[in-house]
Amino acid sequence: MKVFMYTLSIDPWSRKTKKFFRDKNIQFEYMDYDLVGEKEQEKILEDMYKCGGSTVTAFPFVKIDEDVVVGYNPEAYSKLLRLDIQK
């Protein structure tokens, strides 16, 4: 499965999301919205609108294949990745 996320470098929820995927040894790519230039930010917003509709400005914005999860949501990530959820 391909995992890609838009995050904010200073956002604690974005950091927790990256940590979740690292802890599960799941490869992912990401782009920190606040660290790229204005033109790249426009492209990111365009992609987020296309994929996520009204939740476009929320971070982290995680794409797992064709599915989108907005915000820190380990249960949703686990379900989409077919991981065992251990509480």
Side-chain angles (χ1 to χ4, degrees):
M1 297 189 134
K2 182 177 180 180
V3 178
F4 185 87
M5 58 185 85
Y6 296 119
T7 57
L8 295 172
S9 65
I10 59 171
D11 174 42
W13 299 110
S14 293
R15 285 189 218 143
K16 286 180 87 162
T17 300
K18 293 174 192 173
K19 182 177 180 345
F20 171 87
F21 284 91
R22 286 183 185 119
D23 288 350
K24 302 288 184 192
N25 294 315
I26 296 168
Q27 291 185 338
F28 64 93
E29 295 180 39
Y30 70 95
M31 189 173 297
D32 285 325
Y33 177 84
D34 55 324
L35 298 181
V36 299
E38 190 175 322
K39 286 192 181 209
E40 192 63 36
Q41 286 180 346
E42 289 175 15
K43 289 179 188 177
I44 290 170
L45 289 177
E46 199 173 292
D47 187 40
M48 291 171 80
Y49 275 119
K50 187 173 95 178
C51 296
S54 63
T55 56
V56 68
T57 57
F59 292 93
F61 188 94
V62 181
K63 294 193 282 186
I64 300 173
D65 285 337
E66 299 300 316
D67 295 299
V68 172
V69 179
V70 179
Y72 178 68
N73 190 334
E75 290 177 0
Y77 309 147
S78 295
K79 182 177 178 185
L80 290 171
L81 295 165
R82 296 176 187 89
L83 300 175
D84 288 331
I85 302 173
Q86 297 177 354
K87 297 195 177 198

